[in-house]
Amino acid sequence: MSSADPQNVTAEYIVVGSGAGGGILAARLAESGRTVLLLEAGGDPRTAQQQQPVPPSGGMPNEYDVPVFHGLASENDAIKWDFYVRHYGNHKQQCQDPKYFETVDGQRVDGVLYPRAGTLGGCTAHNAMIIVYPHNTDWDEIAELTGDESWRAPQMRRYFELLENCHHRKFHRFLAALGFNPTRHGWRGWLSTERATPLSALLDHPLVRMIILSAWEAFKNAGSKRDHLRWLWKGAFDPNDWRLVREAAGGVRYIPLSTSNHARTSARERVLEVATKHPELLRIELDALATRVLFDGNNRAIGVEYLKGKHLYRAHAAPSSQAGELRTAYATREVILAGGTFNTPQLLMLSGIGPAEQLVQHSIPLRVDLPGVGTNLQDRYEVGVVNRMNFSQWRIFRGARFAQDDPQFEQWQRGCGPYITNGGVLTAFKRSFPDRETPDIFCLGLLGLFRGYFPNYSALFAENLNYMTWVVLKAHTKNRAGKVTLRSADPRDTPDINFHYFEEGSDTQGEDLASVVEGIRFVRKITQHFKDNKLIAEEELPGDHLQSDEDLKTFIRNQAWGHHASCTCAIGPREHNGVLTSDFRVHGTQGLRVVDASVFPRTPGFFITSAIYMIAEKAADVILQAAREADLAANIR
């Protein structure tokens, strides 16, 4: 890698963005002997300094490391990028959402908070660490759309096996060492996965009773009992067991987390490990905001312009008033964009690739008219069924202050206690209606108050430890009408983002809304016993006064949120608004690919991180094979 002039670095590959897509891809390329420059707009989450006074948690690195502190991490101003998004174009409808703000701290935001992370590791630095495998149909649909059989589900499972180091199926780990692996877990990959079950929970009798009876009610109401018993025998409540994935199984499950010794592990650890082993191959440039891709006369990507400086992007909590130092980096092979669902389409459009009318509007020279860039924006729909319990706090949280000197933090340091969890205690997967091809409703029981994202939401969770919230998540949504558009031609500005929820979107039959209603009704069946026995003092949301389908639909329209935005640079034919080929290349260009959450034609599974890790591994294979073929062709000539 050439780096004599810090303003003109040359590498074989430039990767923009260090999250679940870019970080993992950059590591694999360098590990395979290729020189890589990894550009990241933020700093290191474990060493970044926050602007506000240090909170009781200790701030960083605690808020990065401790699983239950993930909400605090998402609001830590050392790493947070706050996007404010619209759920509706209709302003009257948008204002019905109590999470909507016109201004925050005197600044106009006109939207609902959508936390992102501008830091090494991207959003894997603040997410809830849930690793749930996608549905096989998610992969098969890409294969059918593109005709590329390498996307078929059995082949894609290889990438999960490659990246995972499973620590929550110990007997099957032993069997795998003997050459027998029916679960198709990975046992030697870079991503440690664990199950968080604090033994202290066994002393919390109301909690134990809640878990057991909730699991029983979920078992009774989530489909065929015979199937559930068979799946239990095979999968032992593991959502990622291949035998259950293959059958699109529903039912009660535990939650695998991406933790190592019960501390967060993410794309950051993978990147730093490879950079330490191969410093001559992987260069990490932090505080580097990419502003545009550079091309030659044949539309081949040859490099990236970026601004060097801290906190330059205006999504940051305290954006810098400095302009940043303009630098240029050159790629001898390829440029790969991995900035995420909001930033990758923004960077493409700033580089002259996107809908012609938008580029003309902002006086950006058109390079490739690609109408699909920034369209097809999708997300889950989520709502919270929030129950206040009839006691002051859960026993396992007695004395908890989410502080570095409370009893639970000391337990976490010993690898036990409730802080080794992300707050979740039980999950259930079900089909909202029997004709759904796969389970499309995921219900997560959280020990705390959570009703979506808004400024200081994480403090409410930490301060209200006598709540149980059931998050109802609707996957495989029909609505694909969301858009990311440019606010301006200034690369430091955030784009305009509108998801166009429900009736405002493309779900003309209202299937998404009906499915979320069914999810709420399912959760109410689970909790009815505790209401009858006065363990639950009150259902605060939606509230017992809302019972009819229409009442619940209104509640959902007004309160739903999401946090798995995807699909804005979708793989697919150009004539059908596709942006990428099946090997991640941007239509109409050479040497330019995208590898992040924006590439999916439809949002995969329930939680998107595992799917992004998998496509990063697949992209590495594709890119390395292309390099080998190019080298062979050069030698032949």
Side-chain angles (χ1 to χ4, degrees), residues 327-381:
R327 294 186 179 182
T328 305
Y330 293 99
T332 60
R333 290 189 185 269
E334 297 189 21
V335 173
I336 300 106
L337 306 186
T341 299
F342 301 153
N343 291 101
T344 290
Q346 179 184 20
L347 184 54
L348 282 173
M349 287 185 278
L350 292 173
S351 306
I353 301 171
E357 67 278 7
Q358 270 205 66
L359 304 188
V360 169
Q361 177 185 347
H362 295 287
S363 302
I364 298 171
L366 178 65
R367 181 169 295 277
V368 181
D369 184 6
L370 208 53
V373 172
T375 68
N376 194 47
L377 173 63
Q378 298 168 40
D379 208 341
R380 323 290 191 203
Y381 290 121

Side-chain angles (χ1 to χ4, degrees), residues 319-456:
S320 173
S321 60
Q322 302 299 309
E325 177 188 359
L326 185 63
R327 294 186 179 182
T328 305
Y330 293 99
T332 60
R333 290 189 185 269
E334 297 189 21
V335 173
I336 300 106
L337 306 186
T341 299
F342 301 153
N343 291 101
T344 290
Q346 179 184 20
L347 184 54
L348 282 173
M349 287 185 278
L350 292 173
S351 306
I353 301 171
E357 67 278 7
Q358 270 205 66
L359 304 188
V360 169
Q361 177 185 347
H362 295 287
S363 302
I364 298 171
L366 178 65
R367 181 169 295 277
V368 181
D369 184 6
L370 208 53
V373 172
T375 68
N376 194 47
L377 173 63
Q378 298 168 40
D379 208 341
R380 323 290 191 203
Y381 290 121
E382 299 183 48
V383 293
V385 179
V386 179
N387 293 296
R388 179 168 50 83
M389 310 307 293
N390 215 354
F391 46 77
S392 60
Q393 61 184 186
W394 297 100
R395 187 174 298 175
I396 61 169
F397 281 126
R398 186 168 294 169
R401 295 179 292 108
F402 281 47
Q404 60 184 336
D405 60 353
D406 68 17
Q408 289 78 8
F409 188 88
E410 294 174 8
Q411 290 176 338
W412 172 77
Q413 291 177 311
R414 301 195 303 270
C416 60
Y419 286 6
I420 71 172
T421 77
N422 63 0
V425 293
L426 185 68
T427 68
F429 300 65
K430 75 179 298 288
R431 287 168 170 80
S432 56
F433 294 97
D435 63 349
R436 299 292 191 253
E437 184 178 11
T438 58
D440 63 317
I441 294 293
F442 176 92
C443 300
L444 170 64
L446 292 171
L447 299 185
L449 172 60
F450 181 54
R451 56 174 186 254
Y453 299 104
F454 48 88
N456 300 314

Side-chain angles (χ1 to χ4, degrees), residues 102-177:
E102 288 193 6
T103 61
V104 173
D105 296 332
Q107 300 294 316
R108 181 168 173 78
V109 295
D110 185 30
V112 178
L113 175 63
Y114 205 110
R116 300 283 86 185
T119 191
L120 184 62
C123 290
T124 67
H126 77 190
N127 68 1
M129 296 151 286
I130 296 173
I131 299 295
V132 172
Y133 192 79
H135 294 105
N136 281 351
T137 53
D138 297 320
W139 305 123
D140 288 341
E141 286 175 4
I142 298 177
E144 289 158 11
L145 175 68
T146 62
D148 184 343
E149 292 298 302
S150 69
W151 283 96
R152 288 288 175 189
Q155 290 90 311
M156 290 301 297
R157 183 69 181 199
R158 293 187 301 108
Y159 293 111
F160 188 74
E161 294 177 71
L162 174 68
L163 66 91
E164 188 189 27
N165 188 346
C166 175
H167 291 277
H168 57 89
R169 299 294 297 276
K170 296 188 182 300
F171 177 66
H172 283 85
R173 191 179 183 93
F174 169 74
L175 290 181

Side-chain angles (χ1 to χ4, degrees), residues 384-631:
V385 179
V386 179
N387 293 296
R388 179 168 50 83
M389 310 307 293
N390 215 354
F391 46 77
S392 60
Q393 61 184 186
W394 297 100
R395 187 174 298 175
I396 61 169
F397 281 126
R398 186 168 294 169
R401 295 179 292 108
F402 281 47
Q404 60 184 336
D405 60 353
D406 68 17
Q408 289 78 8
F409 188 88
E410 294 174 8
Q411 290 176 338
W412 172 77
Q413 291 177 311
R414 301 195 303 270
C416 60
Y419 286 6
I420 71 172
T421 77
N422 63 0
V425 293
L426 185 68
T427 68
F429 300 65
K430 75 179 298 288
R431 287 168 170 80
S432 56
F433 294 97
D435 63 349
R436 299 292 191 253
E437 184 178 11
T438 58
D440 63 317
I441 294 293
F442 176 92
C443 300
L444 170 64
L446 292 171
L447 299 185
L449 172 60
F450 181 54
R451 56 174 186 254
Y453 299 104
F454 48 88
N456 300 314
Y457 83 94
S458 61
L460 285 183
F461 190 94
E463 294 166 2
N464 292 273
L465 298 177
N466 63 329
Y467 279 78
M468 185 160 191
T469 299
W470 280 91
V471 177
V472 176
L473 181 153
K474 161 62 181 160
H476 294 155
T477 54
K478 297 291 184 181
N479 184 18
R480 304 185 182 192
K483 287 187 177 182
V484 175
T485 56
L486 290 179
R487 189 185 307 272
S488 77
D490 186 344
R492 297 179 63 185
D493 279 345
T494 60
D496 278 322
I497 302 159
N498 195 325
F499 287 91
H500 294 292
Y501 273 12
F502 300 115
E503 289 91 347
E504 200 171 280
S506 56
D507 177 22
T508 57
Q509 302 301 312
E511 293 182 35
D512 292 338
L513 198 53
S515 293
V516 183
V517 169
E518 288 303 306
I520 292 174
R521 294 202 183 283
F522 173 69
V523 165
R524 282 178 163 176
K525 289 177 182 177
I526 293 176
T527 59
Q528 187 58 49
H529 172 85
F530 307 105
K531 292 179 181 177
D532 294 343
N533 288 274
K534 308 302 181 184
L535 190 59
I536 290 175
E538 181 185 6
E539 180 188 283
E540 293 188 351
L541 288 175
D544 287 325
H545 62 290
L546 301 181
Q547 291 293 331
S548 72
D549 282 359
E550 286 308 310
D551 284 344
L552 292 177
K553 286 179 180 179
T554 298
F555 164 77
I556 295 162
R557 289 187 192 98
N558 294 347
Q559 302 255 4
W561 72 86
H563 68 297
H564 296 146
S566 58
C567 307
T568 51
C569 297
I571 291 171
R574 186 173 181 177
E575 60 270 23
H576 297 301
N577 270 3
V579 175
L580 309 175
T581 62
S582 68
D583 57 356
F584 307 96
R585 298 179 190 270
V586 177
H587 289 306
T589 70
Q590 301 177 64
L592 180 63
R593 303 190 204 235
V594 173
V595 182
D596 59 26
S598 70
V599 311
F600 299 107
R602 184 173 74 150
T603 310
F606 290 109
F607 288 84
I608 199 169
T609 305
S610 62
I612 303 172
Y613 284 149
M614 290 168 67
I615 64 162
E617 297 286 359
K618 177 177 173 56
D621 276 356
V622 168
I623 292 168
L624 291 168
Q625 179 60 30
R628 286 189 290 268
E629 291 173 358
D631 291 345

Side-chain angles (χ1 to χ4, degrees), residues 95-270:
C95 289
Q96 298 303 308
D97 189 340
K99 302 183 295 301
Y100 168 75
F101 286 82
E102 288 193 6
T103 61
V104 173
D105 296 332
Q107 300 294 316
R108 181 168 173 78
V109 295
D110 185 30
V112 178
L113 175 63
Y114 205 110
R116 300 283 86 185
T119 191
L120 184 62
C123 290
T124 67
H126 77 190
N127 68 1
M129 296 151 286
I130 296 173
I131 299 295
V132 172
Y133 192 79
H135 294 105
N136 281 351
T137 53
D138 297 320
W139 305 123
D140 288 341
E141 286 175 4
I142 298 177
E144 289 158 11
L145 175 68
T146 62
D148 184 343
E149 292 298 302
S150 69
W151 283 96
R152 288 288 175 189
Q155 290 90 311
M156 290 301 297
R157 183 69 181 199
R158 293 187 301 108
Y159 293 111
F160 188 74
E161 294 177 71
L162 174 68
L163 66 91
E164 188 189 27
N165 188 346
C166 175
H167 291 277
H168 57 89
R169 299 294 297 276
K170 296 188 182 300
F171 177 66
H172 283 85
R173 191 179 183 93
F174 169 74
L175 290 181
L178 300 177
F180 183 58
N181 188 20
T183 67
R184 292 195 67 179
H185 275 290
W187 310 100
R188 286 183 268 181
W190 55 265
L191 182 70
S192 170
T193 59
E194 298 177 321
R195 173 173 51 184
T197 308
L199 295 178
S200 55
L202 298 178
L203 303 176
D204 192 331
H205 301 303
L207 177 57
V208 171
R209 182 182 173 200
M210 175 78 78
I211 292 172
I212 292 174
L213 291 179
S214 295
W216 173 245
E217 290 299 323
F219 171 79
K220 290 193 300 182
N221 289 284
S224 164
K225 297 180 180 62
R226 178 182 297 178
D227 283 343
H228 290 322
L229 288 171
R230 178 166 53 83
W231 293 331
L232 172 60
W233 172 256
K234 285 184 177 180
F237 299 108
D238 172 11
N240 298 333
D241 189 302
W242 173 248
R243 295 164 295 182
L244 274 60
V245 171
R246 192 171 51 200
E247 295 190 40
V252 176
R253 301 286 183 269
Y254 63 77
I255 312 169
L257 301 181
S258 55
T259 56
S260 179
N261 295 318
H262 300 298
R264 177 189 297 275
T265 187
S266 75
R268 172 191 180 273
E269 281 65 43
R270 171 65 168 153

